[in-house]
């Protein structure tokens, strides 16, 4: 059975700048654009089929997301990564991911819980051991985005998307050295079902352990 991950953005991008933002963000997160790489505005505009202005607008947003950095007279570059980033990002996510899971379990409407249960079933149907690891990362992103939406707090959602993007970059950097990526993605099934059934305490615990387990896995291969 072929199963595709859910779209990471629940609504269609409304403008060329939005489209450019989503496309460039995806390349940065998945390391198609590597940390420290220079950003070529013209090449991106041509590749994406948009003008330079939407690309520049997108890059301004991505700088706010800490995914790119601009230097006067030097240009724009993909943000570098330092291992100290892992501790800083995990410290924030260990507090906020459980909160989002708890709120999703407590407050989400029935339709949102049904969506999370469907997502859990789709992941369970995956032949995780055979799927490309980059594709697994897309599933990981899709799960977290769905939980953030279900929590019903747009400010919390915005913050968590930003830090999940940064965490995913770190994950992708070490992806080939991590032996248990499939298990990490498989953990989402139990978490999603705890939320879908309204078990807020269980969802809180599972979300926290998921984040801390991610940090331990990275540190084990550094």
């Amino acid at each position: 059975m072929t199963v595709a991950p859910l779209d990471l953005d629940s609504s269609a991008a409304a403008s060329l700048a939005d489209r450019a933002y989503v496309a460039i963000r995806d390349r940065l997160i998945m390391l198609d654009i590597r940390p420290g790489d220079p950003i070529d505005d013209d090449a991106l505009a041509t590749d994406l089929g948009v003008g330079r202005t939407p690309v520049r607008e997108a890059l301004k947003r991505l700088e706010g997301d800490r995914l790119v950095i601009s230097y006067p007279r030097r240009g724009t570059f993909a943000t570098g990564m330092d291992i100290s980033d892992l501790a800083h990002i995990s410290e924030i996510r260990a507090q906020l991911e459980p909160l989002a899971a708890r709120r999703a379990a407590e407050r989400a409407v029935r339709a949102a819980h049904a969506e999370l249960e469907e997502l859990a079933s789709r992941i369970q149907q995956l032949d995780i051991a055979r799927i490309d690891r980059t594709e697994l990362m897309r599933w990981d992103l899709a799960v977290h985005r769905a939980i953030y939406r279900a929590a019903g707090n747009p400010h919390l959602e915005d913050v968590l998307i930003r830090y999940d993007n940064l965490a995913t970059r770190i994950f992708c950097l070490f992806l080939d050295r991590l032996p248990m990526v499939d298990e990490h993605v498989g953990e989402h099934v139990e978490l999603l079902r705890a939320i879908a059934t309204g078990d807020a305490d269980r969802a809180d615990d599972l979300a926290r352990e998921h984040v801390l387990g991610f940090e331990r896995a990275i540190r084990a291969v550094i």
Side-chain angles (χ1 to χ4, degrees):
M1 178 177 182
T2 301
V3 186
L6 299 180
D7 188 355
L8 300 187
D9 292 271
S10 57
S11 59
S15 70
L16 291 176
D18 290 333
R19 286 170 48 196
Y21 170 77
V22 170
I24 300 168
R25 184 190 66 185
D26 187 66
R27 295 183 188 192
L28 289 160
I29 293 170
M30 305 307 293
L31 301 190
D32 294 323
I33 302 174
R34 304 284 297 180
D37 279 356
I39 306 294
D40 186 330
D41 298 15
D42 290 334
L44 278 174
T46 299
D47 195 30
L48 298 175
V50 299
R52 293 178 66 186
T53 297
V55 168
R56 288 174 176 174
E57 290 177 10
L59 291 174
K60 287 179 182 178
R61 290 176 63 186
L62 291 163
E63 189 166 14
D65 294 340
R66 295 180 180 266
L67 290 171
V68 303
I69 186 167
S70 295
Y71 298 99
R73 296 181 297 280
R74 288 182 55 198
T76 302
F77 298 80
T79 304
M81 279 193 271
D82 187 282
I83 195 57
S84 63
D85 294 339
L86 176 62
H88 296 153
I89 292 166
S90 293
E91 183 176 33
I92 294 167
R93 294 181 71 228
Q95 298 300 316
L96 296 186
E97 291 275 352
L99 175 61
R102 175 175 289 278
R103 291 294 177 261
E106 293 172 339
R107 299 177 178 175
V109 297
R110 184 175 299 178
H113 280 172
E115 176 190 345
L116 297 179
E117 174 57 42
E118 178 188 357
L119 184 53
S121 296
R122 294 176 72 184
I123 292 173
Q124 196 166 38
Q125 291 169 18
L126 294 173
D127 189 350
I128 289 179
R130 293 177 178 270
I131 293 177
D132 177 82
R133 288 186 160 200
T134 300
E135 192 70 5
L136 285 177
M137 288 298 93
R138 295 186 185 280
W139 279 100
D140 185 83
L141 285 165
V143 168
H144 287 279
R145 298 297 187 275
I147 293 171
Y148 305 157
R149 286 196 301 272
N153 182 333
H155 301 287
L156 178 62
E157 181 179 2
D158 286 347
V159 171
L160 278 169
I161 286 174
R162 175 176 172 175
Y163 285 100
D164 188 47
N165 287 343
L166 296 174
T168 301
R169 286 185 87 217
I170 295 173
F171 210 150
C172 288
L173 189 64
F174 293 97
L175 202 55
D176 291 338
R177 296 164 59 185
L178 293 168
M180 299 167 68
V181 177
D182 53 345
E183 290 185 18
H184 177 83
V185 176
E187 288 174 6
H188 290 133
V189 174
E190 189 175 359
L191 172 59
L192 288 166
R193 288 192 166 141
I195 297 171
T197 58
D199 190 342
D201 289 341
R202 181 67 174 153
D204 186 304
D205 289 342
L206 289 170
R208 181 174 292 101
E209 180 54 34
H210 185 69
V211 171
L212 296 177
F214 161 76
E215 183 176 8
R216 288 194 298 268
I218 297 295
R219 291 195 179 280
V221 298
I222 294 173

